[in-house]
Amino acid sequence: MRILIVGAGPTGLTAAVELARRGMLPDIIDRRDSGSGLSRAVGIMPTSLKILKPSGVTAQLVAEGIKFHAVKIYNGASLAFSMRLALKGRKDEFVLGLPQDRTEAHLQSAFEKYGGKIQFATELENLSQTGEQVIVTFTDGTTENYDYVIGADGISSTTRSLLGLGFPGHDLPETWSIADVDAENWPNGNSFTICKLKAREIVVVAPLEANRYRIISNTEDALKSLPLPINVTKIRRQGQFGISIRQVEAYSKGRVYLAGDAAHCHSPVGGRGMNLGISDSAELAHRFATGDLAGYSANRHREGKIIIGGSETIRKFVTSPNFFMRKLLFALLWLVGKLPFLQVKIIERILYGGLLEE
Ligand SMILES: Cc1cc2nc3c(=O)[nH]c(=O)nc-3n(C[C@H](O)[C@H](O)[C@H](O)COP(=O)(O)OP(=O)(O)OC[C@H]3O[C@@H](n4cnc5c(N)ncnc54)[C@H](O)[C@@H]3O)c2cc1C
């Protein structure tokens, strides 16, 4: 069986590894010249770690990443809430922090161990389908026939456009900002820190590795907006980005399947984008192995909708400019601090996004 994966981001690489592990070595292309140096996603969730365990990738990620021990929420600069991010008796379930480019590097080397090779500087231009084959044209003018194609080519997916599938949703009007910094003496080195500022503004700090942090905010300058003192020794990158909330109308058409950002996108709140793509790919590879491809689209659409809905509910709640919502947020946090069973529910939601079988 000949399978082509378009895109060697975390989604395409997971599909490549999971197919190769089952003896179905695919072709995988990316229009980039080499591996990515961009570290967009930070948090790797327990479901992703479980998926990547048999290939040996999880052991590599855990050896290099940082385990998030706690979530801390500040009202301005005052600590309002702190909760350990661990479930009793489930010690191997935690959120791991690692820059996305490192996760991709470990996936790439696992794929190579199975005998695979990413074809960089190769770009999908067109595709058409007969009942039994997908005819793929690359930008250098060459053509190849495949049994199946997996479009894992990100938010502006060429595959999705060529299939003519709608990507309904909306773009948030505001711009968010990001800063990756080296810093010393940050007190929350193993915690996920959220600062609620005035009105709708928030700043989030997540550790990337020892003394290296990601700061994200819905203000114009994440670093300047952080209300807590941080001793920055180096700014690795700073910038702004827009956010779209969208989900493709169907995850497959004929013999072509979509996964990852090609099929869905949402805000980084909840840290689920990359993890959802990893789950898409794991399910797709499993279905290729069992020959049960028919249910892929409906199941991934349903699960994606739950994750996007959950991420949006939290984003709207924590960024609400409403005075009463702010009061309600801190009152709820106070209550959660008093009630351990509610803490378990919240930790489960953070770890699994509302999907125990994500
Ligand atoms: C600031 C920020 C923070 C984030 N934080 C988190 C987080 O903490 N946790 C989380 O889970 N997610 C997070 N995300 C989301 C996460 O980065 C994405 O969901 C993830 O990168 C999607 O992976 P992907 O492989 O589907 O797509 P991509 O990573 O976009 O990869 C697609 C690949 O396809 C290639 N490509 C595109 N078109 C073609 C073509 N025509 N031919 C060949 N190749 C092509 C591209 O070069 C690219 O390498 C964050 C995103 C942002 C912007």
Side-chain angles (χ1 to χ4, degrees):
M1 182 160 49
R2 288 202 80 203
I3 302 174
L4 172 70
I5 300 169
V6 184
T11 303
L13 285 167
T14 300
V17 168
E18 288 301 291
L19 286 167
R21 183 169 77 77
R22 293 172 167 90
M24 296 174 281
L25 196 66
D27 285 352
I28 176 166
I29 60 164
D30 200 295
R31 66 177 167 205
R32 283 184 276 115
D33 289 336
S34 61
S36 168
L38 272 180
S39 62
R40 287 178 291 163
V42 179
I44 309 172
M45 298 294 169
T47 307
S48 300
L49 294 172
K50 194 170 157 193
I51 287 169
L52 300 173
K53 202 169 179 179
S55 59
V57 173
T58 293
Q60 307 287 326
L61 300 176
V62 172
E64 195 179 331
I66 286 194
K67 285 183 192 172
F68 290 3
H69 289 317
V71 177
K72 294 186 177 179
I73 302 182
Y74 289 75
N75 186 354
S78 317
L79 182 63
F81 177 75
S82 177
M83 181 175 71
R84 275 193 69 73
L85 198 51
L87 289 166
K88 234 180 178 175
R90 284 150 70 178
K91 277 198 184 122
D92 56 343
E93 296 174 32
F94 48 83
V95 180
L96 189 74
L98 191 67
Q100 183 171 324
D101 55 332
R102 296 302 307 145
T103 301
E104 291 176 18
H106 290 300
L107 284 164
Q108 180 177 341
S109 59
F111 182 54
E112 286 166 359
K113 276 188 199 137
Y114 287 113
K117 189 171 185 319
I118 302 170
Q119 296 167 46
F120 285 112
T122 309
E123 184 169 355
L124 168 76
E125 184 172 80
N126 206 349
L127 56 78
S128 59
Q129 303 192 55
T130 67
E132 317 222 308
Q133 292 265 282
V134 190
I135 303 139
V136 177
T137 310
F138 302 102
T139 46
D140 66 0
T142 55
T143 295
E144 292 262 0
N145 285 9
Y146 285 92
D147 297 304
Y148 296 97
V149 170
I150 298 172
D153 44 352
I155 195 166
S156 310
S157 170
T158 306
T159 314
R160 188 185 64 233
S161 306
L162 291 170
L163 293 177
L165 289 169
F167 199 35
H170 60 280
D171 305 322
L172 294 184
E174 75 266 21
T175 304
W176 287 51
S177 55
I178 183 169
D180 280 359
V181 300
D182 291 350
E184 284 165 4
N185 305 328
W186 173 249
N188 300 335
N190 283 83
S191 303
F192 192 71
T193 303
I194 303 168
C195 301
K196 176 88 176 130
L197 310 177
K198 63 179 167 40
R200 50 175 297 283
E201 298 176 350
I202 55 163
V203 188
V204 176
V205 184
L208 287 166
E209 57 192 4
N211 298 324
R212 185 178 164 196
Y213 303 94
R214 157 76 46 82
I215 309 169
I216 288 190
S217 175
N218 59 349
T219 62
E220 279 191 4
D221 188 327
L223 190 51
K224 269 196 191 147
S225 305
L226 186 63
L228 305 170
I230 185 165
N231 181 13
V232 174
T233 52
K234 181 178 172 185
I235 298 176
R236 287 174 178 252
R237 77 158 163 150
Q238 252 183 316
Q240 295 186 325
F241 60 101
I243 292 175
S244 302
I245 321 291
R246 296 181 180 274
Q247 189 178 25
V248 73
E249 58 191 354
Y251 280 50
S252 65
K253 192 167 180 180
R255 304 176 81 82
V256 182
Y257 295 81
L258 294 175
D261 279 19
H264 44 72
C265 55
H266 54 84
S267 86
V269 174
R272 305 224 77 90
M274 177 181 76
N275 293 281
L276 192 53
I278 289 173
S279 292
D280 292 343
S281 287
E283 177 168 339
L284 189 53
H286 175 75
R287 285 178 179 273
F288 268 112
T290 56
D292 175 27
L293 287 162
Y296 172 77
S297 178
N299 197 45
R300 291 321 299 167
H301 195 282
R302 182 185 65 79
E303 298 211 352
K305 204 171 167 186
I306 293 172
I307 294 288
I308 295 169
S311 166
E312 274 300 274
T313 304
I314 302 169
R315 182 190 65 79
K316 285 178 187 160
F317 192 36
V318 297
T319 64
S320 170
N322 185 298
F323 173 79
F324 294 104
M325 290 294 267
R326 184 190 185 95
K327 287 275 172 213
L328 180 64
L329 173 68
F330 286 106
L332 281 177
L333 289 174
W334 177 84
L335 190 67
V336 170
K338 304 272 170 221
L339 299 172
F341 80 93
L342 263 184
Q343 291 179 21
V344 172
K345 291 277 162 228
I346 289 177
I347 296 167
E348 280 180 353
R349 183 157 276 273
I350 293 171
L351 295 182
Y352 298 100
L355 279 180
L356 274 175
E357 290 300 319
E358 185 197 333

